[in-house]
Amino acid sequence: MKSTSFASILIFTGCLQFACGDVASTQTVKPTPTPPAAPKIIAQKFAYPVGKTETLTQAKDKKDEWYNALDFGENNHLGEDWNKNSGGNTDCGEAVFAVADGRIVYAENAGIGWGNVVIIEHELADGKRVRSLYGHLRKILKNSGEVKRREQIGEVGNADGRYLCHLHLELREETCPMWNEAGGGYSSDRKGWLDPSDFIDKHR
Ligand SMILES: [Zn+2]
């Protein structure tokens, strides 16, 4: 009799423990699986951020063409100012395209003097990274995720009415002290900035 009772207790406590364990397991928060690393997007080729086609000729006699109104380095400019030949505000609202495949890392109004700004990160085939910045946008059409070369990301604007419409384009390498922000647009120290047209032409 004694041994039977002892066995019953064992079975009972065993069941109880099982039940307790079962309840506990349903309340345990499962660890969040680590998201898979985002696939690499290699920027194989670059293109100009404005114009109907990739082959920007900058022909002065064509109204539909674009020209660089303020070059990189001119008056300590850290980028290039792209305007349409038709002049004035005729380029307001024109399409602004990503210069290469990449990922949007910044898309917001950067304040007075900037207006809406988009920054895209591009990984090059050699592992180096560069970032392209698009300033004074009237509208941001894409504010996160992957972009393809020549995908429209915004519209040419006037920095909330501060200038005649134009696109301010910068290209930066990883040593850029303003890597994560809009920055100042002008500086006598251009270390970390690249000449946008030179770079685009070398990587077309
Ligand atoms: Zn500018």
Side-chain angles (χ1 to χ4, degrees):
M1 280 295 283
K2 269 187 181 175
S3 62
T4 312
S5 314
F6 184 60
S8 308
I9 291 161
L10 269 184
I11 291 161
F12 177 71
T13 53
C15 289
L16 197 65
Q17 277 171 357
F18 174 76
C20 289
D22 205 31
V23 170
S25 72
T26 57
Q27 288 173 342
T28 306
V29 178
K30 285 183 182 168
T32 316
T34 314
K40 276 191 178 183
I41 307 165
I42 304 297
Q44 303 284 5
K45 284 172 85 182
F46 282 69
Y48 282 91
V50 287
K52 285 201 174 96
T53 62
E54 284 193 28
T55 48
L56 199 64
T57 61
Q58 299 192 53
K60 289 195 170 71
D61 57 336
K62 287 187 183 160
K63 272 201 165 174
D64 222 22
E65 262 294 349
W66 293 73
Y67 69 101
N68 179 5
L70 186 61
D71 205 2
F72 177 73
E74 208 179 328
N75 299 340
N76 294 326
H77 200 211
L78 292 173
E80 293 172 344
D81 284 350
W82 285 93
N83 269 299
K84 210 170 171 182
N85 280 350
S86 43
N89 273 325
T90 55
D91 44 11
C92 290
E94 289 274 352
V96 174
F97 307 105
V99 294
D101 294 358
R103 265 196 190 86
I104 294 176
V105 291
Y106 182 104
E108 60 189 75
N109 192 302
I112 295 168
W114 276 110
N116 293 314
V117 171
V118 170
I119 301 177
I120 302 174
E121 180 165 306
H122 312 281
E123 186 164 348
L124 309 178
D126 62 6
K128 284 180 186 156
R129 293 181 299 163
V130 296
R131 287 184 174 187
S132 54
L133 175 147
Y134 312 78
H136 315 323
L137 302 177
R138 184 168 87 171
K139 247 188 209 171
I140 293 174
L141 297 181
K142 188 159 181 177
N143 57 18
S144 64
E146 294 175 15
V147 285
K148 292 280 177 203
R149 178 171 55 103
R150 292 285 294 178
E151 180 178 339
Q152 190 180 353
I153 47 130
E155 292 179 357
V156 172
N158 58 8
D160 302 322
R162 199 171 172 90
Y163 319 109
L164 285 176
C165 282
H166 69 275
L167 171 71
H168 173 93
L169 172 74
E170 290 184 16
L171 207 63
R172 299 155 165 198
E173 47 189 2
E174 284 177 77
T175 53
C176 181
M178 298 292 163
W179 183 244
N180 291 310
E181 55 194 295
Y186 293 83
S187 176
S188 56
D189 183 4
R190 291 186 290 282
K191 196 181 178 309
W193 277 266
L194 297 161
D195 182 314
S197 287
D198 277 6
F199 188 90
I200 290 167
D201 287 341
K202 276 181 198 149
H203 295 83
R204 285 168 80 166

